[in-house]
Amino acid sequence: MNITFKLYASLSEYLPAERRQGNVLALDQVPEGSTIAQLIEPYGLPMKLVHLVLINGVYIPPEERATRALVDGDVLAIWPPVAGG
């Protein structure tokens, strides 16, 4: 399957160095039925930093991330927690 993987803000540091500036990684050999958790595992993202998760612009709650399967053409976007004041 082909999946577009986007990491925003400080999470872009978990992408390969050559992809960090654009924060996008095209993945073209993702096994069918892969879940969000399985896709991000090789990148070493701490789960406490995986805050806002969207598939094709739709929010995926934390309790679905280990079981929600991706399909060909999905765009997975992840943001860390936001702090400010």
Side-chain angles (χ1 to χ4, degrees):
M1 295 189 303
N2 295 310
I3 303 294
T4 301
F5 185 40
K6 298 180 177 184
L7 295 177
Y8 290 93
S10 60
L11 293 181
S12 65
E13 294 298 315
Y14 291 90
L15 291 172
E18 67 276 4
R19 307 309 290 166
R20 289 178 186 160
Q21 186 171 7
N23 79 306
V24 176
L25 185 60
L27 304 173
D28 61 1
Q29 295 185 2
V30 177
E32 290 287 330
S34 292
T35 65
I36 295 167
Q38 290 170 327
L39 187 84
I40 65 175
E41 182 180 1
Y43 298 94
L45 277 80
M47 290 310 289
K48 67 180 182 177
L49 295 182
V50 177
H51 182 68
L52 179 62
V53 176
L54 303 177
I55 294 179
N56 304 324
V58 177
Y59 174 71
I60 307 301
E63 61 273 10
E64 293 181 21
R65 296 173 189 170
T67 58
R68 174 70 184 265
L70 297 157
V71 297
D72 188 48
D74 276 348
V75 176
L76 174 62
I78 302 174
W79 282 264
V82 177

